[in-house]
Amino acid sequence: QSAMRARGSYIEMGNFIAKLGTLASEAFNNNQELVLFAEQVNKQMALSRTTTGEAQAAMLQLSQALSSGRLQGDELRSIMEQVPMLAQTIAKHLGVSVGEMRNLASEGKITATVVKNAVLGAAQETNAAFEDLPMTWGQVWNMAKNIAVKALNPVLKLINALANNIEIIAPLVLGLGSAF
């Protein structure tokens, strides 16, 4: 549902959430907060007109920054270049300009908690701006893929069950084939 609301790829969103949950679990109080954070980041990427490649790089940089507990250096530079809306959100939360934010980052003051609170604190504003954003063909395609993944999930579970029990199933099938 979160991926659909953000018009993003379910698989990419899932990977981002899993990475954040593994690398930066201490920054989040629970899974619901983690998913909401990822959704808001995805919406800010859309508002920043971030390309798919830029989004993947930004997600990696953001994951690394949150896992280290601070957004600074190359991670900050990457976020500022690839997702300027996110940088502006953090600066606004801190009550400084984007330029002044660099100084705070060099002092280690842009912690994972600051980033999380900035993103979640701007959710209402982000959601409102996102609603006014026209849907792109890429977003339509993402939503279609998400629907397909959900629809095909029972088939994938069946294939997975067969693959996990191939030692039992294969002799039965071969025996039936021979008997036939």
Side-chain angles (χ1 to χ4, degrees), residues 64-81:
Q64 290 174 344
L66 294 178
S67 71
S68 72
R70 289 178 170 40
L71 178 60
Q72 56 190 10
D74 288 338
E75 289 95 359
L76 175 64
R77 194 170 15 269
S78 176
I79 296 301
M80 290 174 79
E81 291 172 2

Side-chain angles (χ1 to χ4, degrees), residues 28-104:
F28 300 96
N29 296 322
N30 53 48
N31 285 339
Q32 184 178 358
E33 188 177 67
L34 174 60
V35 171
L36 180 59
F37 176 84
E39 178 181 331
Q40 292 301 309
V41 168
N42 274 281
K43 287 179 177 179
Q44 291 205 2
M45 286 182 189
L47 289 166
S48 295
R49 308 290 200 266
T50 304
T51 66
T52 302
E54 290 171 337
Q56 290 171 340
M59 285 183 192
L60 175 64
Q61 295 293 324
L62 186 57
S63 298
Q64 290 174 344
L66 294 178
S67 71
S68 72
R70 289 178 170 40
L71 178 60
Q72 56 190 10
D74 288 338
E75 289 95 359
L76 175 64
R77 194 170 15 269
S78 176
I79 296 301
M80 290 174 79
E81 291 172 2
Q82 297 168 5
V83 193
M85 184 83 180
L86 179 56
Q88 292 166 7
T89 297
I90 297 167
K92 184 177 179 181
H93 176 76
L94 293 169
V96 298
S97 70
V98 174
E100 293 170 317
M101 187 173 69
R102 291 178 191 197
N103 295 333
L104 293 176

Side-chain angles (χ1 to χ4, degrees), residues 164-179:
N164 288 336
N165 296 300
I166 196 72
E167 300 86 22
I168 298 168
I169 296 170
L172 294 174
V173 170
L174 292 174
L176 288 171
S178 296

